[in-house]
Amino acid sequence: MVGVSGASGTPYARSVLNGLLDAGESVDLVVSRAARLTLLDEVGRTIRDAHWEEDLEAWLGRAPTGVRFWPAGDLAAGPSSGSYPVRGMVVVPASTAAVAGIALGLSKDLLQRAADVNLKERRPLVVVPRETPLSRGHLVHLLALHDAGAVVLPASPGFYAGTSTVQELVDFVAGKVLDTLGVTHTLFTRWRGELGAARSQAPSAH
């Protein structure tokens, strides 16, 4: 399951979704109300409940085959129950409000409820915060999620993979998310123990 919350960083969500679909995974998707505003601001489009298929296709650049969309306000949706079968969940990007809501068990919308379900069922939960700098309250909530079994994976790209474009930096973070979920991908060049190896293989930026 993928939850998109309202933090800046929707390209990370797009890359994760495309990586999951490229790997042949089926995806349950929930996009929070705040995330729809962020999408509108960052990419000039949003996701409407009544037109989610065409909106998602426009955002991802592909038909949303394999995606099941759930409205954020639907607390009776399948993923709100522990009996609904999912292998895990990623919240990307994870706003500090979403992090706090999940850490405190507020379940104020389907994204928070589904994340709470994954924690209580001991399924993988990956949260991808992008906020910077972090206050003490932010860190306390992230530590609470870590202690509850979640993986806190900040949107911090590595530069050793020969990256030369913004998209490659985005894909690096998405690839780390997929690694954590055990999903095969080719989103970045892996470290092989040889200094400069990835850089020498990367296409020239000039």
Side-chain angles (χ1 to χ4, degrees):
M1 182 164 186
V2 175
V4 184
S5 73
S8 176
T10 55
Y12 293 116
R14 180 181 185 273
S15 187
V16 167
L17 284 165
N18 276 321
L20 288 168
L21 295 175
D22 285 343
E25 300 287 343
S26 58
V27 176
D28 288 274
L29 174 65
V30 58
V31 181
S32 75
R33 292 176 61 185
R36 299 173 196 221
L37 294 176
T38 306
L39 274 166
L40 189 62
D41 182 56
E42 293 187 344
V43 300
R45 60 174 58 95
T46 191
I47 307 294
R48 300 165 293 174
D49 288 346
H51 304 280
W52 71 267
E53 289 180 281
E54 63 182 89
D55 293 341
L56 191 59
E57 181 172 358
W59 180 37
L60 298 182
R62 68 194 297 165
T65 305
V67 177
R68 185 168 187 180
F69 179 83
W70 300 95
D74 186 3
L75 289 175
S80 68
S81 171
S83 65
Y84 185 80
V86 296
R87 290 169 48 198
M89 181 175 181
V90 54
V91 182
V92 56
S95 68
T96 54
V99 166
I102 298 166
L104 297 173
L106 298 182
S107 295
K108 74 169 191 175
D109 61 11
L110 180 59
L111 187 154
Q112 292 184 19
R113 171 58 184 169
D116 191 48
V117 166
N118 274 266
L119 285 176
K120 79 180 185 70
E121 298 293 332
R122 300 296 190 265
R123 298 170 183 156
L125 173 65
V126 182
V127 293
V128 185
R130 194 224 47 84
E131 188 67 59
T132 187
L134 295 170
S135 71
R136 186 181 186 280
H138 300 153
L139 294 169
V140 167
H141 291 142
L142 289 169
L143 182 59
L145 288 179
H146 171 275
D147 290 347
V151 173
V152 177
L153 197 158
S156 303
F159 292 82
Y160 60 79
T163 52
S164 60
T165 68
V166 172
Q167 186 59 53
E168 287 172 333
L169 295 173
V170 168
D171 287 346
F172 183 92
V173 172
K176 295 292 287 185
V177 170
L178 298 184
D179 280 352
T180 303
L181 295 173
V183 175
T184 301
H185 67 88
T186 57
L187 287 175
F188 59 77
T189 302
R190 297 186 181 278
W191 176 253
R192 300 196 305 274
E194 181 182 348
L195 290 175
R199 187 176 65 254
S200 64
Q201 294 179 358
S204 173
H206 301 291

